[in-house]
């Protein structure tokens, strides 16, 4: 009547243990076995195509190859491997091509154009973040906050060497050498304290003795100290020399914000006057591609308070 | 326990030749099939006017990362919608399964729908069940080659059309269609179409019930949602078997009265229900894993009962309780729970769709450094701001800071900025305050984007925090 299975619902494997213990048999479909064989065939094909078995100290490379450019621009063809594939994609992948297009756009735009185009600026900010982390963060910190006494803070709006795009570009390209001579001679007669009191008063720090401040001013503005040569009569500094503006709230070298009492603040300033400063920012021209320097310029300018 | 059984660790598939049936459920299934095929195959060709964007009613634009569904545009940020949709589908499945078993399998599953169509093609070319069985046993002659060949050719055509249609959802259908046949379509289009052609052909033509039995995860876990009140396609054994079992129509077994007097049930053992089953099982053996609850055996048996003039329903949607003669409760904690969860998700989705804001804004505080002191002694915080224009027109907005007295805000040149349709801008916002005694070290405030053009858009606000030393 019916060709369809009308047999008992379950078969057993046919074995019987302990007289009556039997095992049900639900046979696997045959195609399942074929699928297994297919995976075996796949594995063999894979061995032939790709690196597989170790042979002594080497291995079977497989017949599939991949061509990529080394960092020195050489074309190399090797057996297929993920490292080469990554290099290949970094050079020719869809994302790499897109990034190149953007870089070209940046290279062909003026600073003015970059600052007025939200798209370009957004690219500069995300690409710049990576470039900054790779090249600048070691000294200036991941967020550009610097280290007081050692590396300038790039997030605030005080710029020793100028905060315009052109100034920043020059700073990155050519590097800077910051120098303030040491004045050990003022250690005598408390002159360094007079100077420190005066300098602190310039930034509005309360607590200095008015007489001492007056004395300090005389040294600063007169020939004895000659400080005004670099810091100017108004004590606002000169960007051509990288001399600090002493009238604002920003402290580059002396850790005044970190000091609690007036005494400690004065000690900080005193250290700088007696010891002098010698700092250097390296030149990046030639070490970084031009468009990288351009992107870093805008990035740093945007960080906190570009002029 | 014969030797031959021992060898059966692997079993070849037993071919199934289902007999066609007519009836209520068959008609419902034809209706669902027509609807599903109509929607699936016609939808990509449906046009839809949009000012900015493709003029296809339903199109999934991967490059632009936008899904257009009629009047709705779905952005990557609307991922919640997808999550809600999936939750909805899952809950609906659980709910329906607990009330009426594998309704999804029997009426809506692609596997069932496409297999159904493939069986129709089979019947069209090779004839009804007996003809097909004869053909399969027949040696390979002209007729067999022709009929089997034609069947497979038609199967492949349906498979190909299925694969191609799927591809058309991901691009402009008419363009893609022409490109496809002129060799100009992108590689993924060919790969996808080919892959789906192959899977459709194999699954609906060759594997069929094997998919349900061995591959489908749902068929394995659905029974967890069953209970004794769940309606399942089942054979009313008490009525069919009586006390003395089933019996064919024979002399002395013709009328119900004669049969009942002998203790014989209403099942005349004609085997129609078994022949009609697309998975080749006998429903009279009770609920089985391979049964996809397609209800075709109900139609088969009803046909027989009608012809005998007996009442229908020897096979029908019955709960275990009903078969035991107890009442069936549909409303109980489990179904109520599923129902409530379902209603909640539907509510949530409606809310999401209704409240799709035309603009949205996200603000991230830049925490390195948390704040910085400026030359004039004021404290500055920086924020990364992202504003999305989800409308299909350009929007001009003005940025403002709200709730931070005495604050100065600097957005570079973008205090006013134009955002292209379906695009976003990222801005850097710097906010500074002169510290004053008594001001808290941590203040809550918000950024506001006020649309200038078009001015009737609602403004958006995003919360932010200001930190001071
Ligand atoms: S037993 Fe009945 S409901 Fe189940 S698959 Fe077969 S025909 Fe469909
Ligand atoms: S179709 Fe109905 S009467 Fe015929 S064998 Fe099946 S259950 Fe019995």
């Amino acid at each position: 009547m019916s060709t369809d299975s009308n047999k008992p619902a379950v078969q057993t494997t046919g074995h019987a243990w302990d007289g009556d213990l039997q095992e049900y048999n639900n046979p696997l479909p045959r195609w399942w076995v074929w699928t297994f064989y297919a995976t075996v065939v796949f594995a063999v094909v894979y061995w032939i195509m790709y690196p597989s078995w170790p042979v002594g100290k080497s291995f079977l490379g497989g017949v599939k190859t991949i061509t990529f450019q080394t960092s020195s621009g050489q074309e190399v063809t090797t057996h297929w491997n993920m490292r080469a594939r990554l290099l290949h994609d970094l050079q020719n992948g869809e994302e790499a091509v897109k990034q190149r297009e953007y870089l070209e756009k940046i290279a062909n735009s003026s600073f003015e154009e970059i600052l007025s185009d939200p798209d370009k600026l957004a690219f500069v900010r995300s690409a710049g973040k990576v470039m900054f982390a790779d090249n600048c963060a070691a000294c200036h910190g991941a967020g550009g906050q610097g280290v007081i006494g050692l590396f300038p803070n790039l997030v605030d709006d005080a710029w020793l060497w100028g905060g315009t795009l052109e100034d920043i570009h020059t700073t990155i390209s050519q590097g800077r050498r910051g120098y303030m001579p040491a004045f050990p001679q003022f250690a005598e007669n408390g002159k360094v304290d007079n100077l420190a009191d005066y300098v602190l008063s310039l930034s509005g720090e309360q607590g200095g003795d008015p007489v001492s401040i007056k004395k300090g001013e005389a040294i600063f503005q007169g020939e004895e100290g000659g400080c005004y040569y670099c810091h100017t009569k108004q004590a606002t500094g000169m960007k051509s020399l990288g001399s600090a503006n002493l009238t604002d709230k920003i402290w580059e070298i002396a850790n005044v914000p970190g000091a609690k009492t007036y005494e400690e603040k004065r000690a900080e300033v005193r250290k700088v006057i007696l010891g002098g400063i010698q700092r250097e920012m390296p030149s990046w021209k030639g070490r970084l591609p031009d468009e990288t320097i351009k992107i870093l310029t805008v990035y740093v300018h945007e960080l906190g308070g570009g002029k | 326990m014969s030797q031959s059984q021992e060898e059966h660790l692997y079993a070849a598939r037993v071919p199934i030749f289902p007999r066609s049936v007519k009836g209520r459920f068959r008609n419902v299934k034809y209706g669902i099939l027509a609807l599903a095929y109509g929607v699936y195959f016609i939808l990509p060709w449906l046009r839809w006017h949009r000012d900015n964007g493709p003029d296809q009613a339903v199109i999934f634009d991967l490059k632009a990362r936008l899904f257009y569904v009629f009047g709705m545009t779905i952005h990557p940020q609307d991922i919640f919608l997808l999550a809600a949709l999936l939750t909805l589908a899952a809950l609906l499945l659980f709910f329906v399964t607990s009330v009426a078993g594998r309704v999804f399998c029997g009426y809506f599953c692609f596997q069932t729908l496409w297999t159904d169509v493939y069986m129709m093609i089979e019947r069209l070319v090779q004839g009804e069940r007996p003809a097909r069985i004869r053909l399969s046993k027949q040696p390979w002659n002209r007729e067999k080659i022709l009929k089997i060949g034609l069947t497979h050719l038609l199967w492949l055509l349906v498979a190909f059309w299925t694969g191609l249609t799927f591809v058309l959802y991901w691009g402009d259908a008419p363009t893609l269609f022409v490109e496809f046949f002129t060799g100009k379509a992108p590689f993924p289009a060919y790969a996808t179409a080919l892959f789906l052609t192959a899977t459709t052909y194999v699954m609906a033509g060759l594997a069929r019930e094997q998919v349900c039995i061995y591959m489908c995860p749902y068929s394995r876990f659905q029974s967890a949602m069953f209970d004794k009140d769940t309606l399942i396609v089942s054979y009313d054994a008490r009525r069919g078997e009586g006390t003395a079992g089933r019996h064919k129509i024979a002399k002395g077994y013709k009328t119900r009265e004669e049969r009942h007097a002998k203790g014989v049930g209403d099942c005349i053992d004609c085997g129609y229900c078994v022949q009609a089953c697309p998975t080749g099982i006998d429903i009279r053996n009770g609920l089985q894993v391979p049964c996809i609850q397609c209800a075709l055996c109900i139609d088969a048996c009803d046909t027989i009962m009608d012809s005998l003039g007996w009442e229908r329903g020897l096979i029908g949607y019955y709960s275990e309780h009903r078969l035991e003669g107890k009442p069936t409760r549909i409303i109980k904690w489990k179904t109520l729970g599923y129902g409530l969860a379902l209603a909640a998700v539907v509510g949530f989705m409606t809310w999401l769709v209704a409240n799709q804001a035309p603009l949205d804004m996200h603000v991230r505080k830049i925490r390195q450094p948390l704040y910085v002191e400026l030359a004039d002694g004021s404290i500055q915080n920086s924020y990364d701001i992202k504003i999305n224009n989800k409308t299909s027109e350009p929007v001009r907005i003005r940025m403002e800071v709200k709730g931070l007295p005495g604050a100065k805000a600097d957005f570079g040149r973008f205090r006013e900025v134009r955002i292209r349709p379906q695009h976003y801008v990222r801005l850097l916002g710097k906010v500074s305050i002169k510290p004053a005694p008594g001001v808290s070290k941590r203040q809550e405030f918000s950024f506001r984007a006020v649309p200038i053009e078009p001015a009737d858009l609602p403004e958006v606000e995003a919360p932010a925090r200001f930190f001071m030393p």
Side-chain angles (χ1 to χ4, degrees):
Chain A
M1 231 187 70
S2 152
T3 58
D4 300 305
S5 57
N6 210 348
K7 53 192 173 199
V10 268
Q11 310 170 352
T12 67
T13 52
H15 305 291
W17 291 273
D18 291 344
D20 60 352
L21 199 56
Q22 291 185 347
E23 196 185 352
Y24 281 147
N25 178 29
N26 279 309
L28 267 184
R30 181 150 292 142
W31 56 263
W32 200 299
V33 194
W34 296 340
T35 314
F36 172 65
Y37 293 143
T39 62
V40 174
V41 173
F42 177 88
V44 174
V45 172
Y46 189 94
W47 294 341
I48 298 169
M49 299 288 288
Y50 298 103
S52 50
W53 291 100
V55 177
K57 288 203 160 151
S58 173
F59 55 92
L60 292 181
V63 295
K64 198 163 158 70
T65 58
I66 186 164
T67 306
F68 66 99
Q69 270 185 4
T70 62
S71 49
S72 52
Q74 241 180 321
E75 270 245 321
V76 178
T77 301
T78 70
H79 65 272
W80 200 97
N81 65 82
M82 275 316 268
R83 252 178 70 95
R85 169 74 193 271
L86 177 68
L87 286 172
H88 176 89
D89 282 356
L90 283 177
Q91 290 145 6
N92 305 312
E94 204 181 318
E95 303 302 317
V97 171
K98 231 198 235 160
Q99 193 186 41
R100 241 192 324 266
E101 270 170 30
Y102 253 108
L103 283 175
E104 227 156 83
K105 246 197 260 175
I106 297 295
N108 296 329
S109 309
S110 67
F111 286 135
E112 198 51 37
E113 283 163 353
I114 297 173
L115 284 183
S116 322
D117 181 339
D119 264 359
K120 283 180 192 154
L121 195 55
F123 173 77
V124 163
R125 274 174 49 218
S126 56
K129 193 170 180 171
V130 179
M131 294 168 179
F132 190 88
D134 285 351
N135 302 296
C136 319
C139 295
H140 291 288
Q145 68 272 42
V147 180
I148 218 162
L150 297 170
F151 311 109
N153 182 336
L154 304 176
V155 192
D156 60 26
D157 60 346
W159 299 89
L160 293 172
W161 304 94
T164 66
L165 285 157
E166 285 70 28
D167 290 334
I168 297 172
H169 192 255
T170 313
T171 304
I172 299 176
S173 314
Q174 295 169 7
R176 297 291 189 184
R177 223 177 255 275
Y179 173 68
M180 165 170 154
F183 295 92
Q185 65 272 33
F186 292 141
E188 286 157 31
N189 301 331
K191 283 184 179 165
V192 67
D193 286 332
N194 301 147
L195 268 173
D197 280 336
Y198 174 62
V199 168
L200 283 168
S201 76
L202 286 173
S203 312
E205 292 289 345
Q206 305 292 322
D209 167 28
V211 181
S212 171
I213 291 175
K214 265 268 163 297
K215 281 189 192 159
E217 182 175 4
I219 302 170
F220 188 97
Q221 303 286 8
E223 297 312 311
E224 184 176 9
C227 309
Y228 71 93
Y229 286 150
C230 297
H231 288 289
T232 75
K233 284 271 184 200
Q234 293 75 35
T236 47
M238 278 156 79
K239 78 173 190 185
S240 55
L241 292 173
S243 52
N245 178 348
L246 302 175
T247 64
D248 62 13
K249 295 273 181 199
I250 310 264
W251 296 90
E252 279 293 342
I253 309 289
N255 189 6
V256 172
K260 282 196 190 67
T261 62
Y262 185 80
E263 268 315 307
E264 280 171 30
K265 288 179 186 171
R266 192 162 62 178
E268 282 293 327
V269 178
R270 202 164 45 201
K271 251 194 308 196
V272 179
I273 300 170
L274 293 177
I277 305 165
Q278 199 146 10
R279 297 200 294 185
E280 185 178 351
M281 149 110 179
S283 140
W284 292 90
K285 200 175 176 67
R287 288 165 68 190
L288 289 178
D290 286 348
E291 66 264 33
T292 304
I293 293 183
K294 194 165 183 178
I295 287 172
L296 281 172
T297 303
V298 180
Y299 179 77
V300 169
H301 182 263
E302 288 297 285
L303 267 181
K307 297 252 152 70
Chain B
M1 305 303 120
S2 66
Q3 269 311 106
S4 73
Q5 266 185 343
E6 233 175 300
E7 288 157 19
H8 286 167
L9 284 175
Y10 304 111
R13 175 175 180 255
V14 183
I16 299 165
F17 305 93
R19 189 187 279 276
S20 67
V21 292
K22 290 198 177 73
R24 300 177 280 162
F25 292 105
R26 182 65 263 190
N27 289 341
V28 171
K29 287 162 73 77
Y30 278 137
I32 293 171
L33 183 67
L35 186 72
Y37 266 46
V39 170
Y40 177 71
F41 287 99
I42 294 171
L43 208 52
W45 299 97
L46 207 64
R47 303 290 91 186
W48 190 268
H49 176 76
R50 284 189 190 92
D51 292 331
N52 258 303
D55 56 355
Q56 185 163 317
V58 176
I59 180 169
F60 306 125
D61 190 345
L62 282 187
K63 266 246 167 68
R65 304 193 192 176
L66 290 173
F67 287 3
Y68 298 93
V69 182
F70 300 100
M72 224 164 77
T73 309
I74 299 166
H75 298 249
Q77 304 87 316
D78 301 327
I79 186 81
F80 296 112
L81 212 56
L82 182 69
L85 197 70
L86 289 176
T87 318
L88 181 74
L91 282 172
L92 196 64
L93 193 67
F94 297 166
F95 178 68
V96 169
T97 309
S98 80
V99 172
R102 297 169 69 175
V103 169
F104 173 74
C105 292
Y107 297 89
F108 302 100
C109 179
F110 320 123
Q111 178 62 24
T112 306
L113 294 179
W114 260 261
T115 306
D116 214 13
V117 168
Y118 272 45
M119 283 176 178
M120 280 181 219
I121 293 175
E122 218 168 48
R123 197 169 71 242
L124 204 72
V125 179
Q126 305 173 13
E128 194 46 272
R129 175 179 149 95
R132 299 212 297 276
I133 294 179
R134 189 175 35 76
L135 192 71
S136 82
K137 288 196 177 136
Q138 186 170 302
W140 283 96
N141 57 11
R142 226 181 97 85
E143 187 207 2
K144 185 167 179 176
I145 293 173
L146 214 71
K147 282 189 173 170
I148 302 274
L150 186 61
T151 310
H152 283 261
L153 190 74
L154 290 174
W155 281 356
L156 275 170
L157 266 175
V158 174
F160 174 68
W161 203 251
T162 304
L164 180 64
T165 301
F166 181 82
V167 168
L168 295 181
Y169 279 91
W170 307 84
D172 181 54
T175 323
L176 201 54
F177 187 80
V178 174
E179 281 178 352
F180 195 93
F181 290 104
T182 47
K184 290 195 197 96
F187 172 75
Y190 291 107
T192 310
L194 198 74
F195 178 75
L196 287 176
T197 305
T199 48
T200 309
Y201 173 73
V202 170
M203 300 302 160
L206 311 179
R208 295 193 174 174
E209 80 289 344
Q210 303 279 309
V211 175
C212 305
I213 302 173
Y214 297 105
M215 301 181 207
C216 175
Y218 172 62
S219 80
R220 292 282 149 174
F221 72 71
Q222 39 86 20
S223 59
M225 285 158 280
F226 279 30
D227 57 28
K228 291 197 162 193
D229 290 316
T230 303
L231 293 172
I232 44 180
V233 175
S234 31
Y235 168 68
D236 187 347
R238 288 199 306 173
R239 176 181 163 198
E241 307 286 316
T243 46
R246 52 185 95 131
H247 201 290
K248 287 198 189 311
I249 295 276
K251 212 172 152 51
Y253 290 95
K254 288 231 165 82
T255 63
R256 275 181 103 182
E257 291 68 39
E258 282 174 349
R259 294 167 71 91
H260 289 182
K262 295 195 171 80
V264 168
D266 282 353
C267 175
I268 59 164
D269 208 8
C270 65
Y272 193 12
C273 57
V274 181
Q275 295 177 9
C277 178
T279 71
I281 57 170
D282 185 345
I283 189 67
R284 294 170 302 174
N285 293 338
L287 179 63
Q288 294 149 71
V289 176
C291 174
I292 56 168
Q293 308 265 307
C294 68
L296 289 179
C297 51
I298 303 183
D299 278 345
C301 189
D302 282 353
T303 310
I304 300 294
M305 292 297 127
D306 285 353
S307 71
L308 291 166
W310 300 350
E311 66 186 283
R312 290 177 167 196
L314 183 46
I315 303 177
Y317 273 105
Y318 300 127
S319 73
E320 253 182 80
H321 273 151
R322 157 86 194 267
L323 291 176
E324 289 166 7
K326 293 181 200 151
T328 303
R329 287 187 318 144
I330 299 287
I331 298 170
K332 58 204 153 168
W333 284 116
K334 192 158 87 174
T335 45
L336 223 55
Y338 282 140
L340 278 178
L342 204 58
V345 176
V346 171
F348 178 61
M349 269 184 82
T350 323
W351 181 84
L352 270 184
V353 172
N355 284 288
Q356 250 197 336
L359 293 177
D360 72 20
M361 173 158 69
H362 295 276
V363 174
R364 192 178 61 86
K365 169 96 182 67
I366 294 175
R367 295 187 154 258
Q368 216 174 18
L370 199 56
Y371 52 77
V372 66
E373 185 173 14
L374 298 184
D376 65 355
S378 54
I379 302 299
Q380 175 172 288
N381 283 210
S382 304
Y383 304 86
D384 198 4
I385 304 167
K386 188 171 169 185
I387 307 155
N388 265 299
N389 174 7
K390 302 209 256 177
T391 70
S392 49
E393 5 173 11
V395 171
R396 273 191 84 77
I397 51 140
R398 190 179 57 245
M399 292 300 298
E400 279 172 11
V401 164
K402 187 182 139 193
L404 201 60
K408 273 200 288 183
D410 171 12
F411 300 94
R413 313 211 168 161
F414 309 115
R415 180 166 281 275
E416 277 189 29
V417 64
R418 182 179 174 279
I419 318 173
R420 279 179 286 155
Q422 313 284 16
H423 267 263
Y424 68 86
V425 286
R426 274 184 60 196
L427 306 178
L428 181 67
K430 297 167 196 153
V431 178
S432 59
I433 308 187
K434 265 253 194 290
V439 173
S440 134
K441 284 187 174 174
R442 221 171 83 170
Q443 298 182 66
E444 312 281 336
F445 72 105
S446 54
F447 284 98
R448 288 207 305 175
V450 185
I452 319 175
E453 205 194 304
D456 55 340
L457 284 181
E459 57 180 58
V460 280
E461 246 183 72
R465 270 201 189 130
F466 191 91
F467 291 88
M468 289 217 255

